[in-house]
Amino acid sequence: MQALCKTLFFTSGAVFLLVLVFLWSALHFDLLSLNHFINDLISYRFVGYTLPEALNIKADWEVGEGVRQMKILFTGIIGAGSLYLIFISYLPCFRLQMKFLSFALSLPLFVLLFAFWERLMQDDKVILSQEKGGLFLFTVSLYSVAVFCLWYCFKRPSSPLRAKSKTDTSGAKQTKDRESKMPDAQVFADNPTEAPEQTLPAAADTIEESPQIEAAQVPTEKTDDETFGDPEQPPANPEEGEEQSKPLAEPKEEAIEQISGETADEPDLPQVSASNDEVELSDEQSYGSEDSLSGEEKQISDSPSVAGESENPADLLQETGAKPS
Amino acid sequence: MIRKIFTRLLALIVFLLTIYLMQGASYRMIEKYAKFRLHMAWGQPESGKINPILSKLPLDHFRSPPQVADASFDDFSQEDEYARKIMSFARPLRDRYSDYCLSQNDSLSSYEIVDLEMARALVKPGLRRPATALDVERGLARRIGMPIEHSRGLVIFLETELTRPVYQERFARLENTFGFLLSHGLACLLLEVSDSNELSTLLEQLKSNHPNLAEKLFVCAQGESASILLEAFKQAPGLFHGLVVDSPARAVVAPQRNFHAWILSLCPPHQDQLISRQRELLRWASKARESHFLYPSRLGGLLMFKSPSEKLSLSSHAVAFLLECMDYFERMGPISEQELLALDSLVPDPSLSGIFGPETDPVHGVEVSEAEPNFECRVISEYRMMHADNVDIAGVSNRELVLRLGASFEAMGGDALDQVALKDPLFYRYYLSLKEITD
């Protein structure tokens, strides 16, 4: 899109510049007569004003003088416009190009509108009702377009990252709420080293402020996914599965004890007796470093539904495939 | 941060420009708003007073009238520019008039046309009002309350030679203009005159025989008839309320004494060489503005070039001027010519020296003495009645009473003086004039 627009703007600017060259050449070698066109243009009336009157130029032009003035006017407008289009084509992104274009459109429109109305207000000319209709349409359309262009060029971009972070924040809050409802939440909160998941809500609060923190949320969720992502397919290596399940199992000792008691024949159930050291180790192993996160992992981390589910014992049961009594 | 400031600044500029544009567009397009702004700037016609806050803004209403120096072309251009700017509030009305003239056919079909003893084809606007005791006394009605026909004024178009075909052609051309003026309550008449004496006589007869139709007279004339009109006006200025003079054929010297009628002079455009009759029109306009009331001092005498693009039987400027003039005299109420002149003559102006002396009335051949104002008005009468037994007050002149009472009203603050002005405009004007003299 960027390349296409760059080409489009650059080509348009170049073509208009070429048109200018051809126009001047044609006029120089008498290949083109502008007399009729200029006459029509000069005699055209809008709200009782001819073009020279509206531009506050002497109305009693001769044809030769009119042609000269019009040539200068057209050259100025087309030349400036072409150069501006070429300049726009060198801007780095499509959005910026469009903003510059809309700004360049809105300013002349405003100037034209206000200059014309100023002339109208200062003048003493009678305006007939049919001319008033045309004037109304002219004013409303010009004003609307100019205001829209100005609004667009100063509009702040609605960043997808910001929108997502808002969603993440709400997801993290939901997690916190669920956690606070758990009977043993206070116990884990007292000793954060025993409960690495307890740091999640705190990190989620700062998601908006730092994208790195947002990324840091990923490993937990990744672990969740890897451990409980597909209940139908348990991990091929029991050790690997054991390692990955440790951080989730530890904070919910009572719950998992209850579960393990009821489903004793399940060999892949999380180990309850993991020490703090093991927890930290498993954190490092399973989370990895923040920098090593791939794009896919970030996408996974964006899913708010994953973050809190693993903390609910009932959900854990469901996800591990254990059947509650 | 800078981006935010820049964005807000730009938004503010666009907002302010939009407000300016909307205000200007409303003033240009909406008749009621244009009048409202005029009254905000100048106050009501009966108590005209420049708004001190609005006068800080560069509005058209606060343009000062040009001073005629040597009656050169520059003076003429200045007068033209001034007239267009000061009458800018009438542009929506002029638009409406132009639309009416271009769109209407058979505009007189709903109006009654009657022949009078001294003129034919007077078109009446069809207004009716209950007769007063004065109307019964004049013989216009049999009893009080009976509906009688009246008009807000009479507009007369003068022609020097009106043979039947010419009359028909002229009348047909003026039909739409008549229709527009009739819709504003003005009766219309096309009149043939040959000299100023005949015109004065005809107008006096009209006023005396048809006071309900010709109470206020507005006369328009072009060429030779314009010169006749100016001469007739010099003879009897009290007959007229408004004059529209289009390119008079002869130069008529402006009168020395003040008058209260309003005059609009129209001239052919773009004449580098001014001829004597046009120079004289400058003096007429300047003289007509010599008044101590705000409205006449701004609008009373105007002079402008005719617009070449306007193809109407009567210029839209003239129509707007006549309607504003009628509105002013209607709002001022029934104040006599003598009262107005007396008020105007109160201020001793060195440039007007000699005009207060006895002057011979060329029409009646009698010596006209300037009336000594007695400052009799409602407030003074009531005050004297309330203090009839007070010998001290009985010994104080009306002039002194006006000054004292006015000063005390002013000292009361608030809008005490304004309320008195509404109740008794004459007292208010007396007070303003006397205050100006004493100051």
Side-chain angles (χ1 to χ4, degrees):
Chain A
M1 190 65 182
Q2 156 73 9
L4 182 69
C5 286
K6 179 168 183 160
T7 313
L8 188 70
F9 286 132
F10 189 85
T11 314
S12 309
V15 165
F16 282 129
L17 279 180
L18 280 176
V19 165
L20 271 188
V21 174
F22 280 122
L23 182 72
W24 279 95
S25 308
L27 288 172
H28 181 74
F29 293 111
D30 284 337
L31 300 175
L32 183 67
S33 174
L34 283 180
N35 291 1
H36 293 297
F37 174 65
I38 295 294
N39 273 338
D40 289 346
L41 203 65
I42 288 174
S43 57
Y44 174 72
R45 282 185 174 272
F46 178 66
V47 198
Y49 291 98
T50 59
L51 187 63
E53 283 173 344
L55 297 174
N56 221 356
I57 308 171
K58 269 177 75 179
D60 50 348
W61 270 350
E62 288 179 6
V63 176
E65 175 67 9
V67 169
R68 200 179 69 83
Q69 297 277 357
M70 284 293 157
K71 272 196 294 190
I72 292 169
L73 188 72
F74 286 147
T75 305
I77 292 172
I78 295 175
S82 308
L83 291 176
Y84 193 77
L85 281 176
I86 292 171
F87 162 72
I88 284 177
S89 73
Y90 281 101
L91 291 174
C93 71
F94 172 67
R95 192 185 297 273
L96 203 61
Q97 286 175 339
M98 292 311 288
K99 279 177 180 284
F100 267 73
L101 186 66
S102 67
F103 184 71
L105 274 177
S106 71
L107 272 192
L109 287 182
F110 268 122
V111 169
L112 178 68
L113 184 68
F114 286 115
F116 183 76
W117 266 100
E118 182 63 22
R119 175 97 171 96
L120 203 67
M121 287 187 287
Q122 297 301 327
D123 206 6
D124 195 43
K125 210 178 270 278
V126 164
I127 303 173
L128 300 176
S129 56
Q130 65 262 30
E131 291 171 341
K132 279 179 186 169
L135 180 66
F136 177 75
L137 277 179
F138 167 79
T139 307
V140 167
S141 52
L142 214 62
Y143 188 79
S144 312
V145 172
V147 166
F148 176 77
C149 285
L150 199 66
W151 167 79
Y152 180 76
C153 79
F154 285 105
K155 186 172 85 84
R156 277 172 171 269
S158 58
S159 160
L161 187 66
R162 187 174 295 147
K164 275 182 186 173
S165 70
K166 280 184 182 174
T167 322
D168 291 345
T169 314
S170 61
K173 280 181 181 172
Q174 284 173 6
T175 309
K176 201 174 183 179
D177 291 345
R178 282 184 199 174
E179 229 171 69
S180 64
K181 284 174 190 171
M182 285 170 64
D184 53 348
Q186 189 56 44
V187 177
F188 293 121
D190 292 339
N191 189 357
T193 53
E194 287 181 1
E197 285 84 356
Q198 287 297 319
T199 57
L200 276 175
D205 287 342
T206 55
I207 277 170
E208 271 193 276
E209 293 166 6
S210 165
Q212 282 81 12
I213 294 171
E214 186 186 16
Q217 195 184 347
V218 172
T220 313
E221 291 159 3
K222 183 192 165 207
T223 311
D224 292 348
D225 267 5
E226 281 178 356
T227 314
F228 307 109
D230 191 357
E232 303 298 324
Q233 293 177 355
N237 185 357
E239 287 178 13
E240 193 184 329
E242 198 179 336
E243 268 184 15
Q244 287 173 349
S245 64
K246 273 178 189 172
L248 285 169
E250 283 165 355
K252 294 142 184 101
E253 285 177 3
E254 289 174 14
I256 293 171
E257 269 176 17
Q258 192 186 354
I259 295 160
S260 63
E262 287 168 359
T263 58
D265 54 339
E266 295 257 350
D268 292 336
L269 274 179
Q271 297 295 319
V272 178
S273 60
S275 67
N276 289 343
D277 295 337
E278 281 171 347
V279 169
E280 283 168 8
L281 179 65
S282 73
D283 279 346
E284 282 172 12
Q285 282 173 347
S286 60
Y287 291 3
S289 67
E290 289 173 8
D291 296 336
S292 65
L293 291 174
S294 66
E296 283 179 18
E297 285 166 349
K298 281 185 180 176
Q299 279 181 0
I300 292 164
S301 77
D302 287 340
S303 167
S305 60
V306 177
E309 280 175 355
S310 62
E311 292 162 17
N312 191 335
D315 293 343
L316 279 172
L317 275 176
Q318 234 178 356
E319 286 171 8
T320 51
K323 293 175 184 174
S325 59
Chain B
M1 184 65 181
I2 294 172
R3 177 199 162 97
K4 204 177 223 178
I5 292 172
F6 179 68
T7 310
R8 289 195 178 169
L9 193 69
L10 204 65
L12 183 72
I13 290 171
V14 170
F15 175 73
L16 290 178
L17 280 175
T18 306
I19 294 287
Y20 169 74
L21 193 123
M22 285 180 72
Q23 190 280 134
S26 304
Y27 181 65
R28 175 62 188 82
M29 298 289 177
I30 303 169
E31 208 173 324
K32 280 186 181 173
Y33 176 73
K35 271 277 187 186
F36 168 76
R37 208 181 90 172
L38 176 76
H39 290 161
M40 284 292 287
W42 286 0
Q44 296 299 320
E46 58 269 24
S47 57
K49 204 165 142 185
I50 284 186
N51 189 317
I53 299 167
L54 282 182
S55 62
K56 304 274 188 301
L57 300 173
L59 299 177
D60 290 341
H61 315 297
F62 304 114
R63 282 202 165 222
S64 300
Q67 300 298 321
V68 179
D70 52 353
S72 65
F73 185 74
D74 284 343
D75 290 334
F76 222 88
S77 300
Q78 279 178 19
E79 279 283 350
D80 176 66
E81 194 188 342
Y82 168 76
R84 288 175 195 280
K85 289 289 177 191
I86 208 76
M87 285 292 287
S88 63
F89 66 89
R91 286 178 297 181
L93 174 76
R94 289 172 48 220
D95 291 348
R96 191 157 58 85
Y97 168 66
S98 300
D99 270 333
Y100 183 92
C101 286
L102 292 175
S103 63
Q104 280 291 320
N105 290 318
D106 199 15
S107 48
L108 300 185
S109 57
S110 56
Y111 297 104
E112 187 186 356
I113 303 176
V114 292
D115 286 334
L116 306 176
E117 59 274 18
M118 73 290 288
R120 58 180 165 177
L122 169 79
V123 194
K124 294 196 274 189
L127 300 180
R128 287 182 184 278
R129 64 170 167 82
T132 60
L134 188 64
D135 293 324
V136 176
E137 195 180 312
R138 282 172 175 171
L140 298 171
R142 290 185 180 177
R143 55 183 167 77
I144 296 171
M146 192 179 163
I148 59 165
E149 205 162 30
H150 80 113
S151 74
R152 296 171 71 190
L154 173 62
V155 183
I156 301 172
F157 292 82
L158 293 185
E159 285 289 339
T160 44
E161 284 185 16
L162 276 179
T163 56
R164 193 169 182 81
V166 173
Y167 178 86
Q168 284 175 346
E169 185 264 330
R170 279 289 290 160
F171 196 91
R173 271 180 57 200
L174 284 168
E175 262 189 21
N176 283 344
T177 303
F178 280 1
F180 188 78
L181 293 171
L182 286 161
S183 68
H184 284 82
L186 285 162
C188 297
L189 178 66
L190 182 58
L191 193 64
E192 181 182 7
V193 288
S194 54
D195 58 55
S196 56
N197 289 334
E198 184 191 357
L199 178 60
S200 302
T201 314
L202 276 173
L203 295 183
E204 276 175 3
Q205 280 180 6
L206 262 174
K207 273 209 153 190
S208 57
N209 296 348
H210 304 277
N212 51 343
L213 292 173
E215 188 187 353
K216 298 180 185 69
L217 283 180
F218 307 97
V219 190
C220 307
Q222 186 180 15
E224 175 58 28
S225 54
S227 303
I228 293 172
L229 172 62
L230 289 176
E231 286 167 355
F233 179 77
K234 277 184 78 176
Q235 292 166 8
L239 282 175
F240 303 86
H241 284 80
L243 280 75
V244 175
V245 183
D246 185 353
S247 317
R250 288 178 282 111
V252 180
V253 179
Q256 289 296 303
R257 58 180 290 183
N258 284 11
F259 50 85
H260 77 283
W262 291 16
I263 295 182
L264 170 69
S265 307
L266 298 168
C267 289
H270 307 306
Q271 283 196 340
D272 293 337
Q273 293 294 319
L274 285 180
I275 41 182
S276 63
R277 59 174 180 263
Q278 288 168 343
R279 284 203 188 95
E280 205 54 49
L281 286 179
L282 275 172
R283 296 194 182 93
W284 274 92
S286 177
K287 192 73 190 168
R289 284 199 300 263
E290 281 177 10
S291 171
H292 297 290
F293 304 127
L294 181 62
Y295 275 72
S297 70
R298 296 291 187 274
L299 300 171
L302 297 178
L303 188 149
M304 56 175 67
F305 294 122
K306 279 195 287 188
S307 176
S309 59
E310 215 174 45
K311 310 287 181 204
L312 301 169
S313 53
L314 181 65
S315 158
S316 61
H317 285 109
V319 171
F321 178 83
L322 286 177
L323 292 178
E324 187 57 33
C325 178
M326 178 194 71
D327 192 38
Y328 172 75
F329 283 109
E330 222 170 42
R331 300 284 286 271
M332 286 293 282
I335 294 177
S336 66
E337 165 83 2
Q338 194 184 26
E339 280 175 329
L340 283 162
L341 288 177
L343 279 170
D344 271 336
S345 66
L346 282 172
V347 180
D349 189 341
S351 65
L352 306 176
S353 58
I355 67 168
F356 296 117
E359 193 173 308
T360 305
D361 187 337
V363 178
H364 304 100
V366 294
E367 195 174 80
V368 179
S369 65
E370 289 298 328
E372 185 67 32
N374 58 4
F375 301 104
E376 192 62 53
C377 57
R378 193 173 154 193
V379 170
I380 297 296
S381 309
E382 285 178 6
Y383 188 77
R384 285 200 184 280
M385 279 171 67
M386 284 164 64
H387 301 88
D389 49 348
N390 192 331
V391 186
D392 293 340
I393 289 175
V396 178
S397 67
N398 281 351
R399 177 193 166 104
E400 192 63 28
L401 267 183
V402 167
L403 273 171
R404 281 189 195 175
L405 286 175
S408 61
F409 287 136
E410 216 166 16
M412 282 164 74
D415 55 348
L417 190 62
D418 292 338
Q419 285 179 7
V420 173
L422 286 176
K423 194 179 169 190
D424 188 356
L426 195 58
F427 168 81
Y428 182 68
R429 285 180 220 123
Y430 280 149
Y431 173 64
L432 287 186
S433 306
L434 286 173
K435 191 182 163 195
E436 201 169 330
I437 295 166
T438 51
D439 285 349

